[in-house]
Amino acid sequence: RPRLYSTCNIHKKCKKFLQEFYSEDDNGKKVFKYGAQLVSLSHREQVALQVDLDDVAEEDPELVESICENAKRYMGLFADAVHELLPEYREREVVAKDSLDVYIEHRLMMEQRGHDTADTRDPRNQYPAELMRRFELYFKPPSTAKPKVVRDVRADSIGQLVTVRGIVTRATEVKPMMAVATYTCDQCGAETYQPIQSPTFMPLIMCPSQECVTNKSGGRLYLQTRGSKFVKFQELRIQEHSDQVPVGNIPRSMTIYTRGENTRVAQPGDHVAISGVFLPLLRNGFRQAVQGLLSETYLESHSITLMNKTEDDELGTAELSEEELRQITEEDFYEKLAGSIAPEIFGHEDVKKALLLLLVGGVQQAPKGMKIRGNINICLMGDPGVAKSQLLSYIDRLAPRSQYTTGRGSSGVGLTAAVMRDPLTGEMTLEGGALVLADQGVCCIDEFDKMADADRTAIHEVMEQQTISIAKAGIMTSLNARCSILAAANPAYGRYNPRKTIEQNIQLPAALLSRFDLLWLIQDKPDAEADLRLAQHITYVHQHCRQPPTHFTPIDMKLMRRYISLCKRRQPVIPESLADYITAAYVEMRKEARVSKDCTFTSARTLLSILRLSTALARLRLVDVVEKEDVNEAMRLMEMSKDSLQADKSSTTRAHRPADVIFSLLRELATEGVKGRGGSGGLVRMAEAEQRCVSRGFTPAQFQEALEEYEELNVWQVNQARTRITFV
Amino acid sequence: MPSSHDWINKPLGVVEAMFAQSNSNPEWEAKVLEYFKGQLKEKESHSWVPSLNDVPLHYLKPNSLVKFRCLVQDMFDPEFYMGVYETVDPSTKANVLRCGKYKDVTECGVDLNSRNTVTAERQTFYCVPIPGESPWAKEISFLSAARVVPSTSYVPSRQKRSYEEDDDDMDTQPQKQREPHTETPQIQPHGNGDSKRQETEAPSSQTTTPSDCSSHLDLNFPLPGERGPACLVKVYEGLDSFKLNDTLEIYGILSVNPVLTVLGEENMETPEEQRAHDPPASLVPRLHMLYARPLQHNNPLLPSAPTEDQSAFVSSFLVEMASVRAELLAYLTHVLLGDGLAAEYLLLHLISDVYTRRDVLPLGKFTLNLSGCPLNSYTERLYQIVQQLVPCSYRLSMSLHTMNSMRLVPKKDYVANRLVSGALQLARNTSLFLDETQLEQGQLDSSGVRNITALGNLISWQKVDYDFSYHQMEFPCNINVLVTSEGRSLLPSDCQVPLQPQVTPPNMEEYLTTIHMAQFTSQINKFRVYLSLARTLDYSISDEVTKAVEDDFVDMRKDDPQSVTAEDLHRMLVVARLLSLSLGQTTLSRDGWMRAKHIDMLRRSRTEQQKSLNGNEP
């Protein structure tokens, strides 16, 4: 239990704290934090004084406890202390700012004069403290106090200093509220003051001054607007965040009263953290007598902090602890992270890897003012019922900032931005669409193919330039839409038709397709082993009503979100040494595209995609330099995505074993060598061969296997040092 | 029957006596709850308590114990009240501690500055009668309640007439049916009951029916055309155990003090808020909850609490299960114009239930799309028959106009600070009958698109995203959706059955009427019990059968990969589950699996046929 202080004692304490609290700056000089503020308060240059309870805790931790328990009382005590101290800190004559200042000055002079003549003033006509003060005093809760959820603020919190978080759902206009009513008597001319605490008050009618009472002159009081004190007043209503609400409950709300400097801080829709004193509303007169049982409550605000949702996420989640980091960055963390995306969806490892990279994003480059986006765009295509939508909605939930829309439900205007005319003022206003709202996040568009062509073109600009330009009805502007686009589309004929070409199947314009870094075709193909696993998975769910145990536990969504935000802070660069390697790989891809009449488009954009993917991979490893593995993995993903599109061809002819494909690759390489060097025989350098294979999506292990297999068949020979392959 | 029902007539007296005895020992609160719970446990005692659902408000004694069968439509912010307060006795001038629980208004002379005042917290739920409750369910629960004399001043002619009506129904059923009635009999008891109700409620209808006073006060019923009392329920204990859309039977103290209305004035609330939160007590009574029983179902023919009573009932019914199923199947086959397969599926659909959720995926949902329905009000008749079988249902005619104008998704109104209800705010296991045959060509506006999306979400995920303007909140639900359409429905569905009528009656109405006539009330009641009961049975799959199913799946895929997908397996497992349950079997047998596979195959071959007939429809 906190020690009980006598009022007088605390008063001294407060004064001492305000006068003597200091911190040391870098040079070891003492900085009197509150002293300096008192000076500006006394000169009317500052209105609000915020007492940081962390500072008070340095002096007297117990006092902080008492303040938090009974904040309203201590607020008064601190205000008294400030009021007394102010004259001491006044360094020069203050110019009156408004009529109330003049009034106060006059009153002080009157009081002075009253003292001179030793005429004791009627205590009832004494100036109330509220009237003479022009400053506001607020507490800043100690940083150890955790913000509460609205529903946890209960009856036992009444009178306490609490911090709540929520979204503002209503804000009234700022209105002047009477704090002290001043009356003058029509008979004796004496002034009477009435401090007002509640939202309503009963005006005084009869003059209470000595003169009127003794003479029974029946002086009437008249309200003086200019002499009364008004404060700015605004009522807010906040509501819990949706993630703070237990399932199946309605979000609760709370009324906030803000006064003075705290008004006009928040608007409806803002995410805020508000600290203040939780108080019952005082009633008087009839209502109090009749109702009795109920009391309404409100939060008298002390400080309001605006926060956007992403910041909010970060706030609650400081740095990742060592252990959490270890949990993530253990071996095969890449697979693990990818597997943790939509764990309820079976298989599709590579797609999940790609989605993981989309969440992390590549590094944005801006050489010489040219902006090259870092965000990765992915398009998922596939037969109906291959869980595309589930993947999308999972990403939507996982990404800290995201918008989910369907192609059928959105128009180009809804996606980009609309210019609206305000019906009241006739002003033009811009309303952001889904893409603008997803700025710095992910925009998931389901049923991409169902979108009208005209609407789809609206997002061309977004996908490459990451801005939305508007030139409509007198508004010309460019909005940021730095978002990754994750689209899902069905093949044009409902199901993927192997007899049609890929372009016919997809039916999206090339201009759009090339803007996607990765295109995946998710197909439903038979495979006894996979089928069995799938069947086991499903029957398990039906049998036991829960998820089957997996060999790894998926990483918690929150942890994942934090790790991704950590990754995003890295800005890895591509070292000079890798440039040649990437260029060579790109040239290779171009060449191949020409040869194989590829249906996808290998263009300069492909090169950029590789760069983006590799930087994203480097980010994922939390390093600052891209390594060769990253590039390889990026190319492997590109290759896999292309493979997924071509998979049908191979299945219609015959399935290629990896070894066979590697063989044909090597032969190609060998013949190239022959052409290049004028027939030096089928000789391939091992390093070169491996590189080529890896860049085509084969693992080094597969490569080695193929090497041995064909060596046994005596198709080629590998030299002793295993550096060269010679075709027989 | 005890002659004095003090605990029903003057529950506050009981509470106060216990409070006085307790000497402010906090345990008294639990004791009060125990006491009432104990009283209600006694045989039949709960039927002595008058029900707000049946008795008009003005016949009920203020401050007496009443019960209310309802759905939690909205939850307001908690309010703080004086749990204990001090009054000054005017005669003795002594200070007396009083308890403020279960009350809205205090006596005069409250000492507001007393140190003994205890502030406590309670919450208000806005409750409405269960939306879409079938007339028969209302009727039966009303009649069963009327058998015992309620302890109210309300002993009007209505009851006697109900008795007569009741006897009449029982005895003269066959004659009645032979009478050349104006309307089809399936709606006849409904219409009849309604007119009765209207008659007796006439004095109050000016105030209680929403149609009359909707201009002044919107009682916020989820479904249009609903009536009955809405109620503000003050909840004191176990706040966390209640969820939105729960169906409850609440026992509480009725409070209709007119002062409550005056209290609403001069408030920190806006006028809209006031209207929503403090409506006149004569329209929306306050109920101080003493005891609430969550309802698994609202079928009055079944014991509602999981007691020994119920298990005895279940085991006795299980014997009959197979025969009742056969009868019901025959009945439904007739109704579905002789299509046995469709009848089978309809039966499975009617007992389906979301039994668990895996992450986002609800398990056990079984949305049925009956395509190829004959036009000309066949679907309407079909709905009336379904309505006769299930305790809760609603038919949403998906015409363009209703889709564009109706509010399906509940929306938070921040001005009035309440959740404005929508037609998708339904109790669990409500049958939602979507009539797509009513749809015509035309333009869907944005709210129409939103409504269609909401229906799609409901069907695929069994959830409704309530609109909170700044964000959406997901509310899981458990609604049986049946879509009737001409072709394949534009909404997703778990399985589509094209109707293949075997008979083409020249006069559809007459045909269906005769089928319905042929059923005795006792028969229909058996069907009702059967459908509600089959849903409550437990179910499990043994490892052995699981293995067989897995192998089967792999085999099927081997032959033709396009033939079965993961989704198909999901569905077949659900079909197998429902099929077993419909026969009263609580485990899946190999036989059951084969049967499920078989009927699913039949259904699929039928859809294939349909497809080839219609050309290459996707």
Side-chain angles (χ1 to χ4, degrees):
Chain A
R1 251 186 95 84
R3 197 154 30 107
L4 284 171
Y5 296 91
S6 74
T7 310
C8 177
N9 218 338
I10 303 168
H11 186 68
K12 273 188 203 137
K13 239 181 224 277
C14 297
K15 259 171 121 170
K16 191 163 159 256
F17 168 76
L18 289 171
Q19 279 172 307
E20 292 178 5
F21 180 82
Y22 66 89
S23 53
E24 284 182 8
D25 66 1
D26 300 338
N27 307 328
K29 240 177 88 183
K30 288 179 178 177
V31 178
F32 288 89
K33 187 173 166 189
Y34 295 103
Q37 292 194 60
L38 286 174
V39 173
S40 34
L41 279 182
S42 68
H43 294 146
R44 297 265 293 115
E45 287 158 358
Q46 184 182 345
V47 177
L49 174 69
Q50 197 173 51
V51 177
D52 193 337
L53 292 186
D54 278 339
D55 296 341
V56 181
E58 279 179 32
E59 304 279 314
D60 188 347
E62 279 182 27
L63 182 62
V64 173
E65 249 176 80
S66 331
I67 292 176
C68 289
E69 287 293 317
N70 195 355
K72 186 93 179 165
R73 170 164 175 255
Y74 283 90
M75 197 171 123
L77 290 168
F78 264 95
D80 288 345
V82 173
H83 188 60
E84 272 178 39
L85 286 173
L86 277 189
E88 294 173 26
Y89 281 87
R90 187 173 301 167
E91 290 161 353
R92 57 188 147 83
E93 212 39 42
V94 182
V95 187
K97 272 196 169 171
D98 52 22
S99 58
L100 194 56
D101 278 343
V102 178
Y103 262 84
I104 291 172
E105 205 175 311
H106 283 199
R107 282 165 190 157
L108 284 173
M109 274 155 62
M110 289 279 283
E111 202 173 40
Q112 220 81 48
R113 212 177 297 157
H115 273 296
D116 289 345
T117 54
D119 172 23
T120 47
R121 203 177 150 74
D122 189 330
R124 273 172 299 188
N125 284 18
Q126 241 160 28
Y127 305 125
E130 290 92 337
L131 186 64
M132 310 302 280
R133 285 175 196 160
R134 299 307 309 269
F135 63 89
E136 293 160 16
L137 189 123
Y138 299 113
F139 289 125
K140 183 167 182 261
S143 47
T144 47
K146 281 261 145 58
K148 279 192 171 183
V149 182
V150 172
R151 63 180 59 229
D152 288 343
V153 180
R154 298 268 166 103
D156 54 9
S157 311
I158 285 182
Q160 292 183 5
L161 193 65
V162 291
T163 304
V164 289
R165 272 204 248 152
I167 182 167
V168 179
T169 58
R170 187 162 71 191
T172 61
E173 279 171 54
V174 178
K175 290 175 191 156
M177 188 190 215
M178 199 175 264
V180 181
T182 304
Y183 304 88
T184 44
C185 174
D186 62 348
Q187 295 288 324
C188 64
E191 277 189 339
T192 305
Y193 311 100
Q194 183 189 18
I196 292 156
Q197 304 282 351
S198 57
T200 52
F201 71 102
M202 179 63 80
L204 301 175
I205 297 167
M206 302 304 289
C207 179
S209 73
Q210 196 72 43
E211 204 180 320
C212 280
V213 172
T214 41
N215 293 349
K216 290 207 170 62
S217 55
R220 293 265 159 184
L221 291 179
Y222 288 92
L223 192 63
Q224 284 213 330
T225 324
R226 296 225 299 171
S228 303
K229 186 183 172 186
F230 292 90
V231 291
K232 287 185 275 183
F233 174 81
Q234 189 180 25
E235 191 187 315
L236 301 178
R237 176 67 65 85
I238 63 164
Q239 181 185 279
E240 298 174 295
H241 287 311
S242 49
D243 52 341
Q244 295 168 334
V245 186
V247 176
N249 276 274
I250 294 272
R252 299 221 181 132
S253 57
M254 182 184 261
T255 307
I256 314 283
Y257 283 179
T258 61
R259 291 174 215 269
E261 296 298 285
N262 277 333
T263 53
R264 285 203 186 93
V265 175
Q267 285 176 331
D270 287 342
H271 292 265
V272 290
I274 299 182
S275 39
V277 193
F278 191 54
L279 291 170
L281 194 63
L282 289 180
R283 297 240 170 259
N284 40 22
F286 169 73
R287 266 187 68 77
Q288 195 175 32
V290 179
Q291 188 177 22
L293 272 173
L294 279 187
S295 58
E296 280 166 280
T297 51
Y298 65 97
L299 192 76
E300 175 89 51
S301 73
H302 274 237
S303 77
I304 299 178
T305 326
L306 288 182
M307 46 178 68
N308 60 37
K309 214 180 170 194
T310 46
E311 263 172 11
D312 168 51
D313 277 353
E314 274 167 37
L315 264 178
T317 57
E319 285 293 299
L320 288 159
S321 67
E322 280 290 311
E323 206 215 328
E324 285 169 326
L325 258 184
R326 206 172 42 242
Q327 193 196 334
I328 293 177
T329 53
E330 62 193 11
E331 219 164 300
D332 66 355
F333 76 102
Y334 178 45
E335 280 76 22
K336 198 171 162 183
L337 275 172
S340 303
I341 291 180
E344 74 266 21
I345 296 165
F346 188 77
H348 304 312
E349 282 82 10
D350 277 331
V351 180
K352 287 183 182 177
K353 279 178 187 167
L355 292 179
L356 179 66
L357 295 184
L358 173 129
L359 284 171
V360 173
V363 177
Q364 181 179 322
Q365 325 258 352
K368 300 192 189 94
M370 189 174 74
K371 230 166 51 180
I372 300 172
R373 75 185 152 97
N375 291 320
I376 296 168
N377 299 326
I378 294 181
C379 179
L380 302 178
M381 277 174 302
D383 298 342
V386 285
K388 294 186 302 289
S389 300
Q390 268 141 296
L391 279 171
L392 250 68
S393 68
Y394 191 89
I395 295 294
D396 177 46
R397 274 187 294 158
L398 182 62
R401 194 176 234 223
S402 69
Q403 289 289 321
Y404 185 96
T405 122
T406 66
R408 251 191 295 200
S410 28
S411 64
V413 175
L415 278 175
T416 55
V419 180
M420 314 278 272
R421 187 184 289 275
D422 190 309
L424 275 180
T425 58
E427 273 174 39
M428 292 294 194
T429 51
L430 268 182
E431 299 225 343
L435 290 169
V436 179
L437 294 178
D439 185 30
Q440 308 273 32
V442 183
C443 184
C444 304
I445 307 174
D446 205 353
E447 320 248 7
F448 197 54
D449 52 318
K450 309 282 191 304
M451 229 163 129
D453 282 336
D455 296 333
R456 225 185 274 134
T457 47
I459 68 172
H460 280 203
E461 186 195 353
V462 178
M463 290 184 70
E464 213 50 66
Q465 267 67 47
Q466 306 267 290
T467 53
I468 287 169
S469 307
I470 292 174
K472 251 181 220 164
I475 292 184
M476 276 198 226
T477 185
S478 177
L479 300 171
N480 273 330
R482 291 157 293 182
C483 61
S484 302
I485 289 178
L486 174 58
N490 284 328
Y493 305 100
R495 240 171 210 293
Y496 193 87
N497 189 341
R499 256 155 273 145
K500 295 266 170 34
T501 67
I502 292 191
E503 273 144 322
Q504 281 171 320
N505 265 311
I506 302 169
Q507 277 199 345
L508 289 178
L512 196 56
L513 280 183
S514 72
R515 283 173 160 88
F516 284 107
D517 295 297
L518 289 172
L519 279 164
W520 287 97
L521 178 67
I522 308 176
Q523 258 186 303
D524 194 16
K525 275 178 290 177
D527 170 4
E529 201 181 315
D531 288 347
L532 183 61
R533 274 188 294 151
L534 181 65
Q536 280 167 348
H537 187 90
I538 293 173
T539 47
Y540 189 94
V541 167
H542 279 262
Q543 191 181 359
H544 302 278
C545 303
R546 64 185 160 85
Q547 199 65 22
T550 39
H551 53 283
F552 77 98
T553 39
I555 298 166
D556 175 57
M557 212 151 155
K558 276 205 183 108
L559 183 62
M560 192 108 152
R561 234 178 256 154
R562 287 160 64 195
Y563 184 73
I564 288 171
S565 72
L566 186 70
C567 291
K568 277 190 170 172
R569 272 180 242 160
R570 297 278 172 170
Q571 300 291 338
V573 292
I574 297 167
E576 199 72 32
S577 54
L578 270 181
D580 284 344
Y581 179 64
I582 297 171
T583 327
Y586 171 63
V587 170
E588 178 61 31
M589 280 175 116
R590 286 280 283 186
K591 203 189 290 169
E592 198 178 315
R594 226 176 303 138
V595 173
S596 68
K597 268 199 82 211
D598 209 336
C599 38
T600 50
F601 302 90
T602 311
S603 65
R605 281 197 170 124
T606 322
L607 180 58
L608 292 176
S609 298
I610 294 178
L611 294 181
R612 269 191 284 274
L613 289 172
S614 12
T615 46
L617 278 159
R619 269 183 168 180
L620 202 61
R621 290 189 295 121
L622 294 177
V623 292
D624 288 326
V625 180
V626 175
E627 283 173 24
K628 204 166 171 183
E629 266 87 87
D630 298 327
V631 181
N632 280 342
E633 171 65 15
M635 286 201 284
R636 192 190 67 84
L637 279 176
M638 296 281 287
E639 199 61 37
M640 292 313 282
S641 88
K642 248 182 224 162
D643 264 10
S644 79
L645 289 172
Q646 284 160 338
D648 252 81
K649 276 182 204 154
S650 57
S651 71
T652 45
T653 55
R654 74 189 167 90
H656 289 293
R657 286 191 316 121
D660 297 339
V661 184
I662 290 171
F663 171 72
S664 57
L665 272 177
L666 290 196
R667 223 201 2 224
E668 217 174 278
L669 208 61
T671 46
E672 267 171 44
V674 171
K675 265 186 245 157
R677 260 164 285 148
S680 72
L683 194 77
V684 185
R685 274 191 291 123
M686 183 73 106
E688 203 181 325
E690 184 167 352
Q691 211 174 73
R692 166 80 62 110
C693 291
V694 168
S695 69
R696 289 303 170 76
F698 296 106
T699 59
Q702 278 172 331
F703 174 73
Q704 290 299 336
E705 240 171 65
L707 213 60
E708 274 161 37
E709 193 179 323
Y710 280 89
E711 201 179 355
E712 260 170 48
L713 291 173
N714 232 347
V715 176
W716 60 46
Q717 282 169 348
V718 182
N719 69 343
Q720 210 68 39
R722 296 193 80 82
T723 53
R724 269 193 313 245
I725 305 166
T726 322
F727 278 83
V728 177
Chain B
M1 215 189 300
S3 54
S4 71
H5 291 297
D6 265 357
W7 61 280
I8 293 179
N9 289 330
K10 292 179 195 128
L12 271 178
V14 177
V15 172
E16 251 152 45
M18 290 180 112
F19 173 74
Q21 275 172 21
S22 71
N23 286 326
S24 52
N25 179 353
E27 270 174 35
W28 73 275
E29 302 187 342
K31 267 190 203 150
V32 169
L33 296 178
E34 267 317 299
Y35 172 78
F36 281 99
K37 223 171 161 179
Q39 288 289 350
L40 286 167
K41 261 215 187 96
E42 263 174 52
K43 263 200 172 178
E44 289 224 313
S45 60
H46 59 263
S47 59
W48 301 333
V49 181
S51 165
L52 261 180
N53 297 82
D54 303 326
V55 186
L57 185 60
H58 56 275
Y59 283 113
L60 290 168
K61 247 197 257 169
N63 297 325
S64 68
L65 191 72
V66 294
K67 66 180 174 193
F68 187 37
R69 191 171 69 245
C70 61
L71 171 109
V72 181
Q73 192 270 324
D74 196 1
M75 295 164 142
F76 295 154
D77 290 331
E79 54 189 24
F80 298 102
Y81 69 101
M82 286 196 279
V84 178
Y85 60 92
E86 211 164 13
T87 51
V88 184
D89 197 305
S91 53
T92 58
K93 301 278 178 238
N95 280 4
V96 190
L97 277 186
R98 306 293 294 266
C99 135
K101 238 179 162 183
Y102 311 117
K103 279 192 229 175
D104 283 313
V105 188
T106 55
E107 300 82 358
C108 287
V110 177
D111 181 4
L112 288 163
N113 302 316
S114 164
R115 290 192 155 266
N116 291 320
T117 306
V118 177
T119 306
E121 191 184 334
R122 68 184 180 200
Q123 207 185 346
T124 309
F125 292 165
Y126 188 83
C127 295
V128 294
I130 298 173
E133 196 170 37
S134 300
W136 64 265
K138 280 185 184 151
E139 197 75 359
I140 290 173
S141 61
F142 170 70
L143 290 176
S144 63
R147 274 179 221 286
V148 284
V149 181
S151 57
T152 51
S153 53
Y154 172 56
V155 197
S157 56
R158 174 185 176 187
Q159 227 135 33
K160 280 182 193 148
R161 281 176 40 200
S162 311
Y163 272 126
E164 283 161 21
E165 203 66 57
D166 185 27
D167 293 340
D168 217 54
D169 269 355
M170 293 295 167
D171 301 337
T172 59
Q173 198 82 27
Q175 287 104 46
K176 250 191 164 179
Q177 278 162 6
R178 257 174 266 123
E179 275 167 27
H181 245 297
T182 46
E183 271 182 305
T184 49
Q186 61 256 30
I187 53 157
Q188 189 249 324
H190 168 200
N192 207 343
D194 236 287
S195 62
K196 262 193 315 198
R197 207 154 275 226
Q198 225 139 31
E199 228 172 275
T200 45
E201 273 184 4
S204 66
S205 68
Q206 265 136 30
T207 47
T208 46
T209 52
S211 55
D212 283 335
C213 58
S214 56
S215 51
H216 315 292
L217 195 76
D218 178 13
L219 286 180
N220 213 358
F221 291 125
L223 299 177
E226 289 263 308
R227 41 213 194 90
C231 204
L232 283 168
V233 179
K234 309 276 179 185
V235 186
Y236 294 84
E237 270 91 16
L239 287 172
D240 299 333
S241 62
F242 300 106
K243 289 201 177 86
L244 197 75
N245 303 343
D246 274 357
T247 44
L248 305 169
E249 184 160 65
I250 294 170
Y251 292 85
I253 300 170
L254 184 72
S255 165
V256 284
N257 201 319
V259 180
L260 286 172
T261 322
V262 187
L263 289 180
E265 290 162 14
E266 190 200 304
N267 216 332
M268 61 195 230
E269 296 182 322
T270 60
E272 290 86 1
E273 246 178 315
Q274 237 177 69
R275 219 170 295 154
H277 291 222
D278 294 305
S282 54
L283 295 185
V284 182
R286 316 297 195 263
L287 199 60
H288 295 268
M289 184 197 279
L290 280 166
Y291 171 62
R293 204 178 54 182
L295 293 177
Q296 293 299 314
H297 58 82
N298 63 328
N299 190 340
L301 296 166
L302 236 68
S304 47
T307 52
E308 306 101 60
D309 241 27
Q310 198 191 15
S311 54
F313 184 85
V314 169
S315 49
S316 69
F317 197 85
L318 269 181
V319 187
E320 274 186 279
M321 203 97 171
S323 67
V324 177
R325 179 190 186 321
E327 284 166 36
L328 178 57
L329 191 63
Y331 174 56
L332 289 179
T333 310
H334 280 305
V335 170
L336 292 174
L337 308 174
D339 187 344
L341 186 69
E344 181 97 36
Y345 269 93
L346 181 59
L347 193 150
L348 297 186
H349 163 78
L350 288 175
I351 61 167
S352 68
D353 175 41
V354 177
Y355 59 95
T356 188
R357 275 166 198 278
R358 183 189 57 129
D359 298 318
V360 288
L361 193 72
L363 289 175
K365 71 175 174 97
F366 196 65
T367 305
L368 184 65
N369 174 209
L370 269 184
S371 60
C373 288
L375 296 179
N376 300 332
S377 76
Y378 171 75
T379 51
E380 217 166 296
R381 298 275 167 244
L382 184 63
Y383 168 67
Q384 281 165 353
I385 286 166
V386 170
Q387 194 184 26
Q388 280 299 302
L389 295 174
V390 297
C392 262
S393 61
Y394 178 62
R395 171 171 175 262
L396 181 63
S397 147
M398 285 177 64
S399 69
L400 262 188
H401 176 71
T402 42
M403 285 330 280
N404 280 337
S405 61
M406 207 165 154
R407 194 178 50 233
L408 290 184
V409 176
K411 181 181 190 311
K412 179 85 178 186
D413 176 357
Y414 284 106
V415 179
N417 196 16
R418 70 166 177 181
L419 188 70
V420 180
S421 191
L424 292 187
Q425 192 175 20
L426 296 172
R428 56 177 292 177
N429 290 133
T430 303
S431 283
L432 181 63
F433 191 97
L434 297 178
D435 194 351
E436 208 186 278
T437 56
Q438 306 288 317
L439 198 60
E440 64 268 33
Q441 282 193 356
Q443 184 78 42
L444 273 184
D445 61 19
S446 60
S447 77
V449 171
R450 239 175 291 139
N451 279 340
I452 297 275
T453 320
L455 286 176
N457 276 340
L458 170 72
I459 292 170
S460 331
W461 308 111
Q462 286 288 333
K463 59 155 192 173
V464 181
D465 289 320
Y466 289 16
D467 183 2
F468 280 82
S469 356
Y470 302 102
H471 55 88
Q472 300 199 323
M473 283 208 27
E474 205 173 285
F475 282 83
C477 56
N478 187 355
I479 297 171
N480 293 8
V481 188
L482 176 64
V483 190
T484 54
S485 57
E486 272 174 88
R488 188 171 175 270
S489 167
L490 63 91
L491 294 166
S493 63
D494 291 317
C495 83
Q496 180 209 353
V497 182
L499 195 66
Q500 287 185 349
Q502 305 297 314
V503 283
T504 39
N507 188 339
M508 190 71 80
E509 234 160 81
E510 201 177 297
Y511 171 78
L512 289 173
T513 309
T514 12
I515 293 173
H516 187 77
M517 292 284 204
Q519 303 294 324
F520 291 101
T521 316
S522 57
Q523 189 80 13
I524 294 274
N525 276 350
K526 242 184 211 169
F527 294 163
R528 291 167 179 165
V529 173
Y530 168 81
L531 290 176
S532 296
L533 196 73
R535 193 174 270 158
T536 59
L537 296 177
D538 288 324
Y539 175 75
S540 63
I541 310 176
S542 67
D543 287 338
E544 202 182 322
V545 178
T546 307
K547 186 84 192 54
V549 170
E550 283 162 15
D551 294 342
D552 216 12
F553 178 71
V554 176
D555 282 349
M556 282 191 279
R557 292 272 294 179
K558 218 182 269 167
D559 298 343
D560 179 8
Q562 295 297 321
S563 67
V564 242
T565 60
E567 241 170 83
D568 291 327
L569 180 60
H570 262 298
R571 190 190 48 244
M572 284 194 295
L573 280 165
V574 174
V575 171
R577 171 195 161 89
L578 294 174
L579 206 57
S580 305
L581 289 180
S582 75
L583 289 162
Q585 297 163 353
T586 52
T587 53
L588 178 62
S589 62
R590 211 175 256 262
D591 228 27
W593 168 246
M594 293 319 279
R595 269 193 64 160
K597 232 175 83 175
H598 177 68
I599 69 164
D600 206 57
M601 208 108 87
L602 283 181
R603 181 189 69 80
R604 277 162 52 134
S605 65
R606 199 185 269 195
T607 35
E608 297 289 316
Q609 251 174 39
Q610 203 80 6
K611 240 182 239 175
S612 52
L613 277 177
N614 294 358
N616 56 349
E617 194 193 328

